[in-house]
Amino acid sequence: MNSKRKKIPHNTIARLSLYLRELNLCEIEGKKSISSSNLAVATALTDTQVRKDLSHFGQFGISGTGYEVKQLKATIRSILGKDGILDVVLVGAGNLGSALLSYLGFTQEGIRIKHAFDIDTRKIGQTISSVKIRDIETMEELIKKEGIKIAILTVPAFSAQKITEILIKSGIKCVLNFAPIVLRVTNGTLVRNVDLSRELDFFSYFLKQRDNT
Amino acid sequence: MNSKRKKIPHNTIARLSLYLRELNLCEIEGKKSISSSNLAVATALTDTQVRKDLSHFGQFGISGTGYEVKQLKATIRSILGKDGILDVVLVGAGNLGSALLSYLGFTQEGIRIKHAFDIDTRKIGQTISSVKIRDIETMEELIKKEGIKIAILTVPAFSAQKITEILIKSGIKCVLNFAPIVLRVTNGTLVRNVDLSRELDFFSYFLKQRDNT
């Protein structure tokens, strides 16, 4: 492993995702190369930022024509560890969980929701976007058996902490948490929160500040 | 307006949301006060952080018993501008949009999705969680008429920029964007992105780093 790669800041990683998305579009459109300024426009960043980010990973720019799409895409995919399919489980097949099953099934490249789990016997056995909803009682065994590392958590707040502990025991290392609660996890587990009510609180504050100036 | 309030950092605002949520739970449970250490445990923060955050807004702590729930809740609500109901429009009533209509209807305090819009004639006229889906052609007029400032955007990436421009023209100041695209907006518009594929890319990178150490 190249030790340089460990120093990539989180914000750069977030931007690499954006570049990758744009490179995928370029490929669909049949473009062979893209300039740093076009990459900047597409990602609402500055030319300088794009050049700086990509300079972390060696020389891709070809003077006059820009970056070679195929090569840059392969490199970013490799940095992000997107070389194969990433298996994910989804826990909680309520309104939001069911929607994510449909949504992620169609839109995500390199991601596969392998299993969905719920506690509700009316849901268990149903299939959404080819993913079967299973009894949460079988979750720990199945995750362990298949070595899955990523979980999407769309359960109610009151059960989120307890389920997270089972997930960690099962070997899950990354949790994308939609429950409106701060999860307490052990070291070595990465939690990212999608917290809609916090986002809306930001808006509320922003509008209040605006009205008061 | 107290000028001190303008200096509250974004991260503090995000934490105020968490405190408010915990105070709501306290109120439901009939608790009259909460100590900074209990507030810290509930939000997975440190005692010091909680005290520091809340010290921005005057003295709430009562020696020995902690913070007075009702008073602190009212103050945080006021800081966040959550004094009344915040009206929101949702654009794009596909899988994710429909799920958010159901989900936000039940879980959000102080938020009301006033209207939903779609371009699909099969959806227009339907009602989800008491919200009627309307023709996107009527969007600009309705938002202007009602002075709504917040939009949730759950449309496909290819139409997101165009719709955002219409929203801004209509008077929208805050966009919660679920489309996997970087929106270009004018000054004075706040965009917050919920980007699931970027979150999953983070996980991918995290797992790769972990496997390489």
Side-chain angles (χ1 to χ4, degrees):
Chain A
M1 183 65 195
N2 182 343
S3 68
K4 248 176 105 181
R5 289 202 178 161
K6 297 215 179 134
K7 288 177 203 154
I8 303 173
H10 257 204
N11 287 342
T12 309
I13 297 300
R15 288 192 297 268
L16 289 184
S17 260
L18 296 180
Y19 301 145
L20 185 57
R21 199 176 279 163
E22 188 54 28
L23 293 166
N24 284 334
L25 286 179
C26 285
E27 209 167 54
I28 290 166
E29 291 167 5
K31 289 181 194 159
K32 295 242 179 296
S33 66
I34 184 167
S35 66
S36 56
S37 52
N38 281 344
L39 209 42
V41 169
T43 53
L45 297 164
T46 64
D47 200 350
T48 315
Q49 183 71 66
V50 172
R51 284 168 188 270
K52 196 180 157 202
D53 283 343
L54 299 182
S55 72
H56 286 241
F57 316 112
Q59 291 302 320
F60 295 104
I62 305 158
S63 182
T65 61
Y67 301 98
E68 214 261 289
V69 170
K70 209 166 182 170
Q71 192 196 346
L72 184 56
K73 185 182 154 179
T75 305
I76 293 179
R77 283 181 65 90
S78 163
I79 291 163
L80 294 177
K82 288 170 74 91
D83 306 301
I85 298 283
L86 214 53
D87 280 336
V88 173
V89 296
L90 181 139
V91 193
N95 276 323
L96 190 63
S98 303
L100 288 179
L101 279 175
S102 311
Y103 180 73
L104 290 172
F106 288 115
T107 57
Q108 304 306 312
E109 190 214 2
I111 296 286
R112 173 174 51 196
I113 300 188
K114 197 73 188 296
H115 306 294
F117 299 98
D118 205 285
I119 200 168
D120 185 344
T121 49
R122 287 167 301 180
K123 284 176 194 154
I124 295 166
Q126 286 185 31
T127 298
I128 301 176
S129 299
S130 312
V131 181
K132 200 172 165 186
I133 300 169
R134 293 167 193 275
D135 189 339
I136 203 161
E137 293 293 327
T138 66
M139 184 173 77
E140 186 172 345
E141 196 188 330
L142 209 51
I143 292 174
K144 274 185 185 162
K145 193 176 131 202
E146 305 194 357
I148 296 172
K149 301 291 176 218
I150 300 176
I152 298 176
L153 195 60
T154 45
V155 299
F158 68 87
S159 57
Q161 180 62 37
K162 197 182 138 209
I163 288 172
T164 301
E165 284 159 21
I166 300 170
L167 288 171
I168 293 173
K169 220 172 88 188
S170 314
I172 290 292
K173 298 294 172 197
C174 306
V175 179
L176 186 58
N177 174 39
F178 285 81
I181 183 180
V182 182
L183 297 174
R184 286 179 290 276
V185 297
T186 43
N187 267 349
T189 308
L190 178 64
V191 175
R192 305 270 304 175
N193 296 294
V194 179
D195 192 332
L196 302 180
S197 99
R198 273 170 95 176
E199 299 296 348
L200 293 167
D201 279 353
F202 257 116
F203 288 164
S204 177
Y205 177 74
F206 174 81
L207 291 173
K208 175 147 187 182
Q209 291 299 301
R210 192 180 142 270
D211 290 344
N212 282 310
T213 48
Chain B
M1 182 65 194
N2 181 342
S3 69
K4 249 177 108 182
R5 291 203 176 160
K6 297 217 178 128
K7 287 176 203 156
I8 302 173
H10 257 207
N11 287 341
T12 308
I13 297 302
R15 288 192 298 267
L16 289 184
S17 261
L18 296 180
Y19 302 145
L20 184 57
R21 199 178 280 163
E22 188 54 28
L23 292 166
N24 285 335
L25 286 178
C26 286
E27 208 166 54
I28 290 166
E29 291 166 7
K31 289 182 194 159
K32 296 244 181 292
S33 65
I34 184 168
S35 66
S36 56
S37 51
N38 281 344
L39 210 42
V41 168
T43 53
L45 297 164
T46 64
D47 200 351
T48 316
Q49 182 72 66
V50 172
R51 284 167 186 271
K52 196 180 157 199
D53 283 344
L54 298 183
S55 73
H56 285 239
F57 317 112
Q59 292 303 319
F60 295 105
I62 305 158
S63 183
T65 60
Y67 300 98
E68 215 261 289
V69 169
K70 209 167 181 172
Q71 191 196 348
L72 184 55
K73 184 181 155 181
T75 306
I76 294 180
R77 283 180 65 88
S78 161
I79 292 163
L80 294 177
K82 286 169 77 91
D83 307 300
I85 298 283
L86 213 54
D87 280 336
V88 173
V89 297
L90 182 138
V91 193
N95 276 321
L96 190 63
S98 302
L100 289 178
L101 279 175
S102 310
Y103 179 74
L104 290 172
F106 287 114
T107 58
Q108 304 304 313
E109 189 214 2
I111 295 287
R112 172 173 52 195
I113 300 189
K114 196 71 189 295
H115 305 294
F117 299 98
D118 205 286
I119 200 168
D120 185 344
T121 49
R122 288 166 302 180
K123 286 176 195 153
I124 295 165
Q126 286 184 31
T127 297
I128 301 176
S129 299
S130 313
V131 181
K132 199 172 166 187
I133 301 169
R134 294 168 191 275
D135 190 338
I136 203 161
E137 293 293 327
T138 66
M139 183 172 76
E140 185 171 344
E141 195 188 331
L142 209 51
I143 291 174
K144 274 185 185 162
K145 194 176 130 200
E146 304 195 357
I148 296 171
K149 301 292 176 216
I150 300 177
I152 298 175
L153 195 60
T154 44
V155 299
F158 68 86
S159 58
Q161 180 62 38
K162 197 182 139 210
I163 288 172
T164 300
E165 284 160 21
I166 301 171
L167 288 170
I168 293 173
K169 219 171 89 186
S170 313
I172 290 292
K173 297 294 172 197
C174 306
V175 179
L176 185 57
N177 173 40
F178 284 81
I181 184 180
V182 181
L183 296 174
R184 286 179 289 277
V185 298
T186 43
N187 268 349
T189 309
L190 178 63
V191 175
R192 305 269 304 175
N193 296 293
V194 179
D195 192 332
L196 302 180
S197 98
R198 273 171 94 176
E199 298 296 347
L200 292 167
D201 278 353
F202 258 115
F203 288 163
S204 177
Y205 177 75
F206 174 81
L207 291 173
K208 175 150 187 179
Q209 291 298 303
R210 192 180 143 268
D211 291 343
N212 283 311
T213 47

